[in-house]
Amino acid sequence: MFGSVCITVALLLCVLESEALDLLRATATLGDPPSTPSVHCWCSIYPNVTLCSWPEPSPSPPTHYIATYSERAREPTIKPCHLIPPGSSSAPTATPSSSSEQLWHCQLPNLKLLTDYIINVTAVHSGGSSSHLTSFMLEDIVKPDPPVDVRVFSQNIKNLLVEWSPPPTWTSLDIFPLKYHIQYQWHHRDTLKSVNLGPFENTKFELRGLIPGRAYLFQVCAKELLGLGQCSDWSSPVKITMPKARP
């Protein structure tokens, strides 16, 4: 009888060991949980268009995202955020970063002014899930798209005129005007020098006292007139070389 008990115990240990190995194999197959999404939100058309974006981790297993938002209230109503995958035809053409990463976006429609919001983006794949939770107020994340059609004209050997057009996506200039900053750069003895000017409410500015024969690089950014949020990304650079003085 003692021998049969030992055999039974041995068989039981073998079964438990086999189940433990199966569990370890399953865990190894599932892998690690996905990395926490790094979410950035901005309002490019105040107050109508708010977007949030995060990079697609690479390499990674196929990942599913769940994005929701709500007001920070006692009894909040959780709403789904409209997801836009990387490469979609509806993806925004302008983003707050010049990075070449593949970006997911979600659009938050009809947000209220002067209201705290919470957004929750959860990444899910076979290894588990991880979430990014953040809060914001619309007025704090205003960020227009960059100005366009920047033009620079030399007027003489020392003065020039910079002109630009407002971002075409900012469709409510009559209600929410913009102000602008100019940045110009040049190299001097292998050192990059930079000057920021502004803000200006006009879309042109005359610059005086430049160095004849020197090359300058000009960019413009746009910001909501009352100072909400932050300035846009800088516009595409425009280079000009000042004419040299006649001998």
Side-chain angles (χ1 to χ4, degrees), residues 151-163 182-188 193-197 205-219 238-245:
R151 307 170 300 279
V152 184
F153 309 97
S154 61
Q155 297 182 308
N156 53 50
I157 61 173
K158 290 187 177 182
N159 302 341
L160 55 73
L161 180 68
V162 185
E163 295 183 346
I182 296 174
Q183 174 183 264
Y184 68 98
Q185 299 175 311
W186 70 95
H187 282 91
H188 178 65
K193 303 289 186 178
S194 180
V195 172
N196 290 343
L197 301 173
F205 180 75
E206 184 178 2
L207 193 59
R208 303 173 181 271
L210 301 177
I211 304 300
R214 175 172 287 172
Y216 293 92
L217 200 67
F218 285 87
Q219 294 175 285
V238 175
K239 185 177 182 178
I240 186 172
T241 300
M242 299 300 294
K244 293 181 179 180

Side-chain angles (χ1 to χ4, degrees), residues 94-154:
T95 63
S97 171
S98 59
S99 171
S100 59
E101 293 177 309
Q102 292 292 308
L103 295 177
W104 280 82
H105 293 85
C106 77
Q107 186 170 354
L108 291 70
N110 305 318
L111 298 186
K112 299 177 184 178
L113 304 182
L114 301 173
T115 302
D116 283 319
Y117 283 92
I118 298 174
I119 182 169
N120 185 358
V121 179
T122 301
V124 183
H125 67 49
S126 57
S129 65
S130 59
S131 298
H132 175 100
L133 192 69
T134 190
S135 63
F136 64 86
M137 183 177 287
L138 193 58
E139 286 72 19
D140 294 333
I141 62 169
V142 173
K143 184 177 182 179
D145 290 331
V148 297
D149 196 22
V150 179
R151 307 170 300 279
V152 184
F153 309 97
S154 61

Side-chain angles (χ1 to χ4, degrees), residues 16-35:
L16 292 175
E17 182 180 3
S18 177
E19 290 178 350
L21 289 173
D22 290 341
L23 180 60
L24 287 173
R25 292 191 189 100
T27 304
T29 302
L30 291 176
D32 296 327
S35 59

